[in-house]
Amino acid sequence: MAALSARHIHGHGTPEAAWLASPMLRHMPRASFDQLAGDAPRLVVVAPHPDDEVLGCGGLIADAVRRGRDVLVVAVTDGEHCYPALAAWPPARLAELRRAELVAAVTTLGLPEAAIHAVAIADGGVRGAGAALANAMHALLRPDDLALVTWARDGHPDHEGSADALLDAAARRGTRVLQYPVWGWHWMQPESADFAPARALRFDLDDALRAAKAEAIACFDSQLGLGPVAAPEPILPAHVAERFARPFEVFLA
Ligand SMILES: [Zn+2]
């Protein structure tokens, strides 16, 4: 997810219990894999930072693999500026670790390492590289892909910049797009209408998809505060990580 510098993202955010009890999520229209992906032979999942693709779409990716669809994961940045206060973990070292964590996660979901396409834009600099990113996406996309990207109003500048670039490229290519919230779950309130006018769809995960997603999330030790980094203030503390243990994912059409 990268450093929390956006204006909306601070404190503990909305508790997961409030989301799970919310009428908005309970009554959200369900969509099956076929309803979401249609006949798209390939899903292109755009992740501003290594972990966003799994947090937002890990279950959908696992289902695509199960169904024999192709998946391309576009790693926009390496998330190398996530811990600027940790002297032992300068950006180059974190980039290497986070790339390795991403390989482990996509492998866990059943994809080959070659399913990752790294754009290597600087972490925190996505907005400034918007035109270059849009052109890179345009070169990758096919009209019959289903493209997925972080929500254009997610509250994190890299997430919103990735969405703007992808939406621009997809419009030129004629590619269908679904957006996935990540940080929106932190700052939104369950009774709010922040998703309007988007059409929000709930994709329920069966036990196998939930397990695959949990296993993939567990690959991101550096973000969970585990492993060699052991950051005292990890990006994904338990109260944040639990939002992505839900038995469903939400996509905005
Ligand atoms: Zn992120």
Side-chain angles (χ1 to χ4, degrees):
M1 293 200 208
L4 313 185
S5 56
R7 58 193 159 88
H8 296 301
I9 304 168
H10 54 79
H12 271 221
T14 301
E16 177 61 1
W19 283 116
L20 293 178
S22 74
M24 179 184 90
L25 285 181
R26 278 210 308 274
H27 300 143
M28 188 174 284
R30 265 65 167 180
S32 67
F33 181 92
D34 287 334
Q35 287 168 326
L36 290 172
D39 295 329
R42 185 174 73 159
L43 274 58
V44 176
V45 182
V46 177
H49 314 103
D51 73 358
D52 289 316
E53 67 297 300
V54 174
L55 297 174
C57 316
L60 187 71
I61 293 171
D63 206 0
V65 170
R66 194 163 67 175
R67 294 164 184 272
R69 308 282 181 103
D70 287 339
V71 180
L72 179 69
V73 173
V74 179
V76 176
T77 81
D78 289 325
E80 70 275 14
H81 292 305
C82 56
Y83 296 125
L86 298 185
W89 289 91
R93 193 177 180 206
L94 275 171
E96 187 179 356
L97 177 65
R98 297 198 66 180
R99 282 196 295 264
E101 289 177 346
L102 179 60
V103 169
V106 303
T107 304
T108 292
L109 292 174
L111 295 171
E113 183 175 346
I116 301 170
H117 178 92
V119 185
I121 287 172
D123 183 12
V126 175
R127 276 232 180 274
L133 180 58
N135 288 335
M137 307 265 204
H138 184 260
L140 283 173
L141 287 177
R142 303 170 190 152
D144 60 355
D145 286 332
L146 171 65
L148 298 116
V149 69
T150 41
W151 183 27
R153 298 185 60 225
D154 208 33
H156 188 298
D158 281 351
H159 288 208
E160 298 184 359
S162 295
D164 290 346
L166 187 274
L167 288 165
D168 172 66
R172 287 189 273 145
R173 267 284 181 244
T175 306
R176 200 159 60 85
V177 177
L178 295 175
Q179 300 175 46
Y180 59 92
V182 174
W183 283 114
W185 301 118
H186 191 92
W187 60 263
M188 274 194 299
Q189 297 300 314
E191 67 274 16
S192 70
D194 292 291
F195 284 155
R199 192 163 65 98
L201 298 167
R202 172 175 161 154
F203 176 59
D204 288 327
L205 306 180
D206 63 28
D207 289 346
L209 297 179
R210 273 188 92 179
K213 178 171 179 169
E215 200 179 332
I217 289 175
C219 294
F220 295 104
D221 273 353
S222 71
Q223 305 305 289
L224 297 163
L226 306 170
V229 177
E233 295 184 27
I235 303 293
L236 298 177
H239 68 271
V240 172
E242 73 175 336
R243 297 182 189 128
F244 306 100
R246 299 170 179 172
F248 58 89
E249 293 171 343
V250 171
F251 297 98
L252 307 175

